[in-house]
Amino acid sequence: LDPGPSRVAIVGRGLIGGSIELALAQRAPSIEVVALDRGEDLAAIAGADLVVLAAPVLENISLLRAIQPHLGPSTIVTDTGSTKAAIMEGAQGLRFVGGHPIAGVAGAGRTFARADLFAGRRWILTPGHSTPAADIKTVTVLAEWCGARVELLDAVDHDRIFALVSHLPQLAVSALMHVAGTHSGEEALALAGAGLRDATRLAASPPEIWRDVIATNRDSVSKALDLLIQALVEMRDDATGEALTRIFASAAASKRRLDDAPI
Amino acid sequence: LDPGPSRVAIVGRGLIGGSIELALAQRAPSIEVVALDRGEDLAAIAGADLVVLAAPVLENISLLRAIQPHLGPSTIVTDTGSTKAAIMEGAQGLRFVGGHPIAGVAGAGRTFARADLFAGRRWILTPGHSTPAADIKTVTVLAEWCGARVELLDAVDHDRIFALVSHLPQLAVSALMHVAGTHSGEEALALAGAGLRDATRLAASPPEIWRDVIATNRDSVSKALDLLIQALVEMRDDATGEALTRIFASAAASKRRLDDAPI
């Protein structure tokens, strides 16, 4: 019977770190939680058996080094970033299990933190090839305290998949809202129907988070952008409507699969 | 005091035509309504003082000729298509007022028709320069029976604006869903968060409707696609994160304007 970690340190108290804090207070009230704002003295993490890095990706990668003096031999480290290969690379030599909780709909920042942000959602872990099962188990307990269910994935596969199903959608929506907003004029934007409003919810996402995500997954994101650009060029040069028909049919079929898939 | 039309003929009984039919039955039960499925004998429209063309755009344009033998000298014709310049061109010589009701969220086809589909929404009219005010008034009464409020717009301005706020979003979302679905694989799609699901509601739109829309607004749609492709290329070639930061900031500002605008 695995009691899970008894002392958890969280570095970063935004939407993700803050929500983990709230979930632990609710679901695991007997464990000790130390939560640090970015920039606070990392000495406070000493004695933790699990450290959760919940800052933007590049800062998490820097923190891997900065926390080292404060880690014991049995301290496990995990993170919550949206890319996994770069941080796995940087974490060599640590007892590290990469993590990526898939949050539900929320705004950005601590204001939107909720104990149930991860309830019923996936929490992907990307252990290395030689990661002990016990370390994976410790992070799994944390995810389950947050109400999530764990799925294991190879870090490189993770990044390739999320380039297509998460990073590309974010860039496409931001580019679309930028173009529609910049070129249509003030009153014109008011003429948009529900379609544009629904399609562009992601356009409010914080650039400082996404800059790091894209920077640490550049190859896969470039390839995904090329595929999207290619499809748009085909529709632009589509004299007969053939490309539109083909791409709409493919999109409708994928949309059905997406909506039928469990969350 | 204008009583509006007393005999309305609707050609096309899909989502739009069907919803107008339901709204009239509810809000103007004393008027006579003749609703024809596409392909039915157009002679049935004889005697109507308002004819509403509610088929896909290119079919509406063909119908302008086909209905002519059945129009009286005072019959006003309107349509409900998403592009306006092409049909205005084709309607010369008729008492025609172009119309474009902006429906709320709905599926495609008659199954989704609702009496309140246009309630509280805009219904754009694009009269010609010499259209009599009385003709505009007749179509306005129809729109108001459907619960919509009328806005007048030049047909060419309409098409330029809707290329950006409606046609481009549709093509971008279909291309995005096509790419994400085709290249990520069956299980991978299930890993998508709420972001992709929300962003791609439009991916279920019917290609037969959109083929006509794009075909009758090719120049403006091409320009809009070029702007989107340009933004995506900038983000793909963005070594420093400068383009991402700039485009995200522009998108977030436009998104706030969009969400603050009245529906």
Side-chain angles (χ1 to χ4, degrees):
Chain A
L1 291 168
D2 192 328
S6 59
R7 188 162 198 261
V8 174
I10 304 168
V11 185
R13 305 182 76 183
L15 175 68
I16 303 296
S19 292
I20 295 172
E21 233 183 298
L22 292 170
L24 292 184
Q26 198 175 91
R27 303 279 298 272
S30 65
I31 71 161
E32 193 183 342
V33 176
V34 175
L36 298 182
D37 264 319
R38 291 156 62 186
E40 284 192 273
D41 184 359
L42 293 171
I45 72 171
D49 37 20
L50 177 62
V51 176
V52 182
L53 304 179
V57 174
L58 289 176
E59 190 169 332
N60 285 343
I61 293 175
S62 301
L63 282 165
L64 290 173
R65 296 276 84 79
I67 59 174
Q68 281 196 24
H70 312 292
L71 302 179
S74 65
T75 311
I76 296 161
V77 180
T78 187
D79 78 313
T80 62
S82 296
T83 57
K84 299 271 60 86
I87 198 164
M88 291 296 291
E89 186 81 19
Q92 282 174 21
L94 297 183
R95 295 184 66 168
F96 184 80
V97 181
H100 178 196
I102 315 293
V105 175
R110 185 173 181 84
T111 329
F112 292 91
R114 303 193 324 237
D116 66 349
L117 187 68
F118 310 109
R121 304 275 164 175
R122 287 182 171 84
W123 190 305
I124 294 165
L125 298 183
T126 59
H129 295 298
S130 54
T131 306
D135 294 10
I136 299 173
K137 177 66 185 170
T138 298
V139 185
T140 298
V141 170
L142 174 83
E144 291 174 351
W145 279 337
C146 293
R149 64 181 190 287
V150 160
E151 239 170 81
L152 301 186
L153 211 57
D154 173 76
V156 171
D157 288 343
H158 170 281
D159 288 1
R160 190 181 41 75
I161 291 169
F162 279 83
L164 285 160
V165 303
S166 170
H167 312 165
L168 180 67
Q170 175 61 57
L171 296 182
V173 164
S174 290
L176 171 64
M177 188 73 257
H178 159 65
V179 168
T182 307
H183 297 275
S184 66
E186 188 82 30
E187 334 74 65
L189 205 51
L191 296 174
L196 185 63
R197 287 168 205 258
D198 289 0
T200 54
R201 185 179 61 75
L202 291 173
S205 298
E208 57 278 14
I209 304 288
W210 281 95
R211 219 161 30 215
D212 286 13
V213 171
I214 305 307
T216 53
N217 199 19
R218 189 163 294 287
D219 282 359
S220 290
V221 169
S222 279
K223 279 183 197 142
L225 281 168
D226 278 335
L227 292 167
L228 180 62
I229 290 165
Q230 179 56 35
L232 294 170
V233 166
E234 283 176 49
M235 292 204 286
R236 185 196 61 193
D237 299 341
D238 182 26
T240 62
E242 176 279 325
L244 185 150
T245 305
R246 175 167 44 79
I247 288 169
F248 270 53
S250 161
S254 291
K255 179 58 172 163
R256 278 191 298 274
R257 284 203 290 129
L258 175 62
D259 289 347
D260 290 347
I263 285 172
Chain B
L1 291 169
D2 192 328
S6 59
R7 189 166 197 260
V8 175
I10 305 169
V11 185
R13 305 181 74 183
L15 175 69
I16 303 297
S19 292
I20 294 173
E21 231 184 298
L22 292 171
L24 293 183
Q26 199 174 90
R27 301 280 298 274
S30 65
I31 70 162
E32 192 183 344
V33 176
V34 175
L36 299 181
D37 265 318
R38 292 156 61 187
E40 284 192 274
D41 184 0
L42 293 171
I45 72 171
D49 37 22
L50 177 62
V51 176
V52 182
L53 304 178
V57 174
L58 289 176
E59 189 169 333
N60 285 342
I61 294 175
S62 302
L63 282 165
L64 290 174
R65 295 277 85 76
I67 60 175
Q68 281 196 24
H70 313 291
L71 303 179
S74 65
T75 311
I76 296 161
V77 180
T78 187
D79 78 312
T80 61
S82 297
T83 58
K84 300 270 61 83
I87 197 162
M88 292 296 291
E89 186 81 18
Q92 282 173 22
L94 297 183
R95 295 185 64 168
F96 185 80
V97 181
H100 178 197
I102 315 292
V105 175
R110 186 174 179 83
T111 328
F112 293 92
R114 303 192 324 239
D116 66 348
L117 187 69
F118 310 109
R121 304 274 165 177
R122 287 181 171 85
W123 190 306
I124 295 166
L125 298 183
T126 59
H129 294 298
S130 54
T131 305
D135 295 10
I136 300 174
K137 178 67 185 171
T138 299
V139 185
T140 299
V141 170
L142 174 82
E144 290 174 353
W145 278 337
C146 293
R149 64 181 189 286
V150 159
E151 237 170 83
L152 301 185
L153 211 56
D154 173 77
V156 171
D157 288 342
H158 170 281
D159 288 1
R160 191 181 40 74
I161 291 169
F162 279 83
L164 285 159
V165 304
S166 170
H167 312 164
L168 180 67
Q170 176 61 57
L171 297 182
V173 164
S174 289
L176 171 63
M177 188 73 256
H178 158 64
V179 167
T182 307
H183 296 276
S184 66
E186 189 81 29
E187 334 74 64
L189 205 51
L191 296 174
L196 184 62
R197 287 169 203 258
D198 290 0
T200 54
R201 184 178 63 75
L202 292 173
S205 298
E208 58 278 15
I209 304 289
W210 281 94
R211 218 161 30 215
D212 285 12
V213 172
I214 305 307
T216 52
N217 199 19
R218 189 163 296 288
D219 282 359
S220 291
V221 170
S222 278
K223 278 183 198 140
L225 281 168
D226 277 336
L227 291 167
L228 180 61
I229 290 165
Q230 179 56 37
L232 294 170
V233 166
E234 283 176 49
M235 292 205 284
R236 184 196 61 193
D237 300 340
D238 182 25
T240 62
E242 177 278 324
L244 186 150
T245 304
R246 175 168 44 79
I247 289 169
F248 271 53
S250 160
S254 291
K255 178 59 173 164
R256 278 191 298 273
R257 281 203 292 130
L258 175 63
D259 289 347
D260 290 347
I263 285 173

